[in-house]
Amino acid sequence: MEPPVTVTRAPSLTSCQRLFAEGFSYVYAYNSWVNAGRPLSWDADRDGYPCEQSYGNRN
């Protein structure tokens, strides 16, 4: 008998991580942020530039 296997879910990606992983440009990600109403969750440091943790510092 084999030992039980524990399956853990990988953490879900943020919107920025998903856009970056799927190969979208920063301009596309920025425009998506604007179209989504500039959610604060996309702009961790609240400087007006979203997705910096995925795409790098843009200011």
Side-chain angles (χ1 to χ4, degrees), residues 4 7 9 20-22 26 28-29 31-35 38-39 45 49-50 52 55-56 58-59:
V7 177
R9 287 187 136 169
F20 182 78
E22 292 177 7
Y26 179 77
Y28 184 91
N31 289 331
S32 296
W33 174 66
V34 170
N35 290 334
R38 299 176 187 246
D45 59 3
Y49 295 91
E52 291 174 306
Y55 287 91
R58 298 289 168 170
N59 56 2

Side-chain angles (χ1 to χ4, degrees), residues 9-47:
R9 287 187 136 169
S12 59
L13 298 177
T14 66
S15 297
C16 292
Q17 291 169 335
R18 190 170 45 255
L19 289 168
F20 182 78
E22 292 177 7
F24 290 101
S25 69
Y26 179 77
V27 171
Y28 184 91
Y30 182 89
N31 289 331
S32 296
W33 174 66
V34 170
N35 290 334
R38 299 176 187 246
L40 293 177
S41 62
W42 291 35
D43 186 10
D45 59 3
R46 310 290 193 258
D47 66 352

